[in-house]
Structures are given as C-alpha cells and as structure tokens.
Amino acid sequence: MKKIYYSIICSLVLGSAFTSCESYLDDLPKGSKRPTTLADYEAFLRDEYTSQSANVDQTLNLLNDKYVTTATLSYDRLTNANYMWDETANRIELNRADETTYYGQYAGISTFNLIIENALTATEATEEQKREVWAEAKVLRAMNYFNLVNYYADTYAAATAATKLSVPLITSANIYAPSKQVTIQEMYDFILSDVRDAIPFLPKVSQTALHPNLGAGYAFYSRVLLQMTNYTEALKYAELALSENNALYDWTAYYEQNKNIIEIPDSYINTMSPMGYDYTENYTFRHGAVYYFATESDIPVERAQRFETGDARFLSRWKIRTLGAETNYQSTLAGTFNYGGITTVEVYLIKAECLARAGQINDAMDVLNEVRKSRILPVSYQDISATNTTEAVNAILKTKNNELILTIVPFGDARRLIAEGTYPVSLSKTVNGITYTLSKSSHLWTMPFPQGAIRNPGNGTITQNVSK
C-alpha cells in the first residue's frame, strides 16, 4: 500500500492541521482510520456528491439546452460568451472561476485511482469481491476522463487524434504523481483499456445505483466507440448492454398518473422525478450539476419547440411561464436526475443510429419507434418511417437530443457530426430582433481550461487546446 493516498483522506481527519497527507499517514491521529479493508475503499464509490457527479454546464449553455436569465448573462461573462455564441470573447481570460468541471472530475479520478491501486490488496474480502470494486472504479475513472476529453479538447477524429492534445492523464493517487497531457488518441485508448479491463469482473446486478454493473460497462463502451465513429463495434456493445437491461420507463403512464397536476393552468406544482436512483432505465446513476433534491434547469422557448407534439416526458418536466420580461419553460419535476450516468434509452438510440448507418433502415426505425411508444402520448403517436440513411439518422438524432438533454451527450454528438461532415449541425436563434448563429467551425465547441489549472498544473504542464 502506498504511503501517500489521496488528499481527500486528509480532509476526513476533523480538527487536525497537517501540511500534507504524508504527515497525516506518518502520524495517524487518535480516532482516525487508515483504509485497509475492501469496505473502506468501496465506501469511496458512494461519495455521490463529489466522485459521482458530472458538471458540464458550459456545454449546456453553448447548446442553449438550459435557460439562462438576462441577469446571469449580464454578470457572468463566460456564460454569456457561450450562451450568446460570442466568438470575440476571450474565454481563456474569462475562465477564472468556472473550475467545477475540471476539479470535480479530477477529484473523482483521484478517488478512483486510490481504489484501483489498493482494492486488490485490501483485507476482509474474497478475490472476486476485490476485483468487482476494482472494476467499478475503472469504469468510473474512464467516465470521468471521457467527460474531460470531450469538454476541454477537440472531438475525436482519426486523422488528427494522434497529434492533438487532450487533458492531463493521472493514474496514481499519490499527490506527487506526475501527469502528462496526452494526445486525444492516447486518452481514448486509455479509456477503452480501462473499460476492457473492467468488463470481465463487473457484476450483473449493482450493489447500489452508484456502482456500475456489466450493462453499464457495455453501454459506456458503446458510447465511446460511437464518439470515435466506430459504428460497427458500437452496435455490438449496444446490443450486449441491452441484453443486460432493455427496460424503458413508460412516460405516457407517468403523465396519465399526474395529469391532474400537470394540466392545471398557470400552476407549477412539482411532481416527483422518476429519474432517480431506482429509475428503471439506469445502468449507473451519476449526478449532473445539481447534486441534491431539486428541480431541473429551465429551458428556452426555442429549445422547447424541438420536442415532438405529445411528448409526455417533455410535458411532465416543463411548462411555459412568463415572469416580467422573460419567458421560458420552467421545470415542474423535483427530486434527483441521472444526468451523469448512462441509461437504456441512450443505448437504444445508439443501436438505432448504428443500424441506420449500416443500411438497416427498417430495423433502425423499429428501435426508434420502440423508444417513442414509451414517450409519445397515444393521441399524438405515429410511427416514424425513413426511406434512406440520412432521413433515419436525422430522426434518431432529433429524439436522442431530446432524450439526453442536460447531459454531455448532445454536445458530444454535435461535435462528432461536425467532424464527420455528413450530417449538418446548425444552431441559430433570434434575440431582440438579432439573429445569432453558432458556426460548425467555431472555436467555441472546445472549452478552455480554467486559469487555475494553467497556473498550477501540478506535476506536469498544460497547454490550452483552444485559441480563446
């Protein structure tokens, strides 16, 4: 076991003031505990508000998938730059405080590194139990790195991935461990390797919603392969994931059960979110930007208009409201929301896209419509059909963007499609009579590292991946 574990352990020692974890572990305070058993390490996986969260707010701002008030735009210049697609703004200079994504994901990585380094030699557990916790940490570490590389680096493109830089790769919980800003290809290879290592040891049934199971391993592997435009292999792993869990939540039934509240005119009474820890579509649950019992983000009117007529999931979540000079769709669900994890509906739609790209149009539409039947109210429902791959992929992506709103997935998909160049991505809006457009070639599609990370890169160096 290493002498230096992870700085979070220092914070667990209340009332002590040590200059480093090294001094803490050299002289363990009375009443404190050094992790030794597998249960000690497994407990770190349950730190849902730090290790199990994924704040990707600026990607949501860029896509205009969440509503930002005029007041916020007036004082938060970084948010304004992304939300209003201001290519003249120097986001590097403005990014002085938006550090939650960077440090939050690396805090989780440090926790998972600690587990990966020590779980296999922990005490009071069988070898099978040790491997299971080790594998779960591997998947979660890979998920954090996927968020980081898709936030702070350009999207994966086979022609340039080996030359463009991604983010720092850190594989040890030792606070003196070196870090190296690896290429995009190296980071994707590392992510895939972590998941491949984990899959043989993942349980079919999770201990809790926070613990990735075998379905989660397959599902996340499919997500990564899709981002790399490896549609054949992405389809293979999507099907493996669905063989573990293919449940779809019936949002039409939820709407019917709650419509007496939902349909009250000018009422914004909350109903309970079904997208929490026991959501039937979960492979693994992770928080997004909101970590506690709360409502969702509101969404702009223009974004609400892209949902299908009769979409019970949309109707159960937002309702139009005007307050003063501002009109938006206000959240009407309260509870917890699986924004950072992975669910069956994403995998259904990965499968559908991959089938469409393979020319299996009817099969792709069957998968898409299976999802839609659990979402679109019967009075509005009609099967979607397509005569070619382009029609099919566009229909699938429209549903997917709506289903995965407020997660990093629509942002990742948009960047993938832009890099691929086959399916155009176009975003425009009109505000106060002025039309704004987000160009597919805009540098805004890559987020700048926060200034704190650049000025204090730890045991390595960091180069910005974007001009401003």
Side-chain angles (χ1 to χ4, degrees):
M1 188 178 296
K2 290 185 178 293
K3 186 178 182 183
I4 300 171
Y5 291 97
Y6 167 45
S7 59
I8 193 172
I9 298 178
C10 288
S11 68
L12 299 178
V13 186
L14 301 178
S16 58
F18 296 93
T19 58
S20 72
C21 274
E22 182 172 16
S23 60
Y24 156 56
L25 291 170
D26 285 343
D27 186 15
L28 197 67
K30 183 178 180 180
S32 299
K33 182 181 179 181
R34 174 184 290 136
T36 56
T37 70
L38 185 66
D40 293 335
Y41 291 106
E42 185 273 330
F44 286 110
L45 294 178
R46 300 170 187 257
D47 179 14
E48 65 184 276
Y49 301 120
T50 301
S51 301
Q52 297 278 14
S53 64
N55 185 323
V56 294
D57 263 4
Q58 290 300 336
T59 69
L60 311 183
N61 292 333
L62 188 76
L63 294 182
N64 281 206
D65 274 355
K66 60 177 287 190
Y67 181 73
V68 180
T69 66
T70 302
T72 298
L73 293 176
S74 68
Y75 73 80
D76 188 336
R77 295 174 63 198
L78 178 63
T79 292
N80 183 78
N82 286 320
Y83 193 76
M84 298 305 298
W85 306 329
D86 182 2
E87 293 193 341
T88 67
N90 187 340
R91 295 178 305 156
I92 295 172
E93 174 63 26
L94 297 178
N95 196 7
R96 298 178 178 180
D98 187 56
E99 301 175 330
T100 305
T101 301
Y102 187 86
Y103 290 115
Q105 293 303 283
Y106 276 110
I109 287 166
S110 293
T111 296
F112 305 136
N113 284 341
L114 175 72
I115 297 168
I116 292 164
E117 288 182 305
N118 295 286
L120 299 182
T121 56
T123 61
E124 299 182 23
T126 66
E127 289 303 311
E128 181 180 1
Q129 291 168 331
K130 294 176 186 177
R131 280 288 177 186
E132 182 176 305
V133 171
W134 174 86
E136 290 164 343
K138 280 255 182 177
V139 171
L140 292 170
R141 179 172 71 177
M143 293 181 78
N144 277 26
Y145 272 124
F146 182 83
N147 290 337
L148 287 165
V149 72
N150 278 281
Y151 198 91
Y152 294 112
D154 289 349
T155 195
Y156 183 92
T160 59
T163 57
K164 288 187 175 182
L165 290 174
S166 66
V167 299
L169 177 62
I170 306 170
T171 59
S172 174
N174 189 313
I175 60 175
Y176 300 124
S179 67
K180 179 184 178 183
Q181 188 177 4
V182 297
T183 66
I184 293 171
Q185 185 67 58
E186 288 172 319
M187 181 55 73
Y188 270 84
D189 289 344
F190 180 83
I191 290 168
L192 291 174
S193 176
D194 254 3
V195 184
R196 283 196 304 269
D197 289 348
I199 282 174
F201 306 103
L202 291 169
K204 292 180 75 67
V205 179
S206 304
Q207 287 188 60
T208 74
L210 301 175
H211 292 69
N213 54 26
L214 182 58
Y218 288 143
F220 177 64
Y221 204 69
S222 180
R223 179 194 284 181
V224 178
L225 291 167
L226 184 82
Q227 195 66 32
M228 299 175 75
T229 68
N230 187 342
Y231 300 114
T232 300
E233 287 297 295
L235 174 60
K236 171 185 171 181
Y237 283 93
E239 290 177 330
L240 285 169
L242 292 171
S243 71
E244 295 296 320
N245 179 11
N246 64 357
L248 287 170
Y249 184 80
D250 189 347
W251 278 92
T252 66
Y254 180 90
Y255 183 88
E256 288 299 319
Q257 292 163 7
N258 294 279
K259 69 178 182 180
N260 289 339
I261 296 175
I262 294 169
E263 294 180 352
I264 298 174
D266 301 318
S267 172
Y268 301 89
I269 299 171
N270 294 142
T271 55
M272 291 303 301
S273 166
M275 296 181 285
Y277 307 110
D278 59 353
Y279 191 40
T280 189
E281 296 184 3
N282 285 348
Y283 288 115
T284 189
F285 178 96
R286 307 189 82 190
H287 292 282
V290 178
Y291 310 140
Y292 48 85
F293 185 88
T295 55
E296 299 190 86
S297 295
D298 298 341
I299 62 175
V301 172
E302 296 84 356
R303 181 63 185 85
Q305 292 169 346
R306 298 206 293 269
F307 283 84
E308 274 195 69
T309 300
D311 187 330
R313 191 166 184 257
F314 166 75
L315 295 170
S316 300
R317 296 169 71 183
W318 294 285
K319 185 182 289 188
I320 194 166
R321 187 174 195 180
T322 298
L323 291 173
E326 302 197 34
T327 300
N328 65 299
Y329 276 77
Q330 181 173 309
S331 169
T332 57
L333 282 189
T336 50
F337 305 90
N338 189 2
Y339 295 143
I342 193 163
T343 58
T344 58
V345 70
E346 177 183 350
V347 180
Y348 270 100
L349 296 170
I350 290 174
K351 178 180 177 179
E353 183 182 345
C354 293
L355 287 170
R357 287 175 177 274
Q360 297 173 248
I361 307 302
N362 291 337
D363 291 341
M365 292 298 97
D366 287 345
V367 175
L368 172 61
N369 287 322
E370 185 174 356
V371 170
R372 293 178 62 250
K373 286 172 185 174
S374 66
R375 269 57 178 172
I376 309 303
L377 295 172
V379 68
S380 301
Y381 182 83
Q382 288 186 336
D383 278 348
I384 292 178
S385 61
T387 59
N388 55 54
T389 298
T390 298
E391 289 180 4
V393 170
N394 285 335
I396 292 160
L397 290 170
K398 178 180 178 180
T399 294
K400 190 179 180 188
N401 285 338
N402 290 336
E403 284 292 325
L404 280 298
I405 190 172
L406 304 181
T407 77
I408 198 172
V409 173
F411 177 73
D413 280 345
R415 301 198 327 153
R416 167 171 62 92
L417 296 170
I418 289 169
E420 191 177 40
T422 305
Y423 300 94
V425 173
S426 176
L427 291 176
S428 62
K429 63 182 177 182
T430 301
V431 180
N432 297 326
I434 301 174
T435 299
Y436 298 84
T437 301
L438 177 59
S439 166
K440 64 182 182 181
S441 60
S442 175
H443 65 272
L444 297 173
W445 287 103
T446 298
M447 301 298 162
F449 290 115
Q451 287 193 23
I454 295 294
R455 292 171 179 171
N456 185 16
N459 302 311
T461 59
I462 301 177
T463 300
Q464 281 284 5
N465 291 320
V466 65
S467 60
K468 58 184 177 180

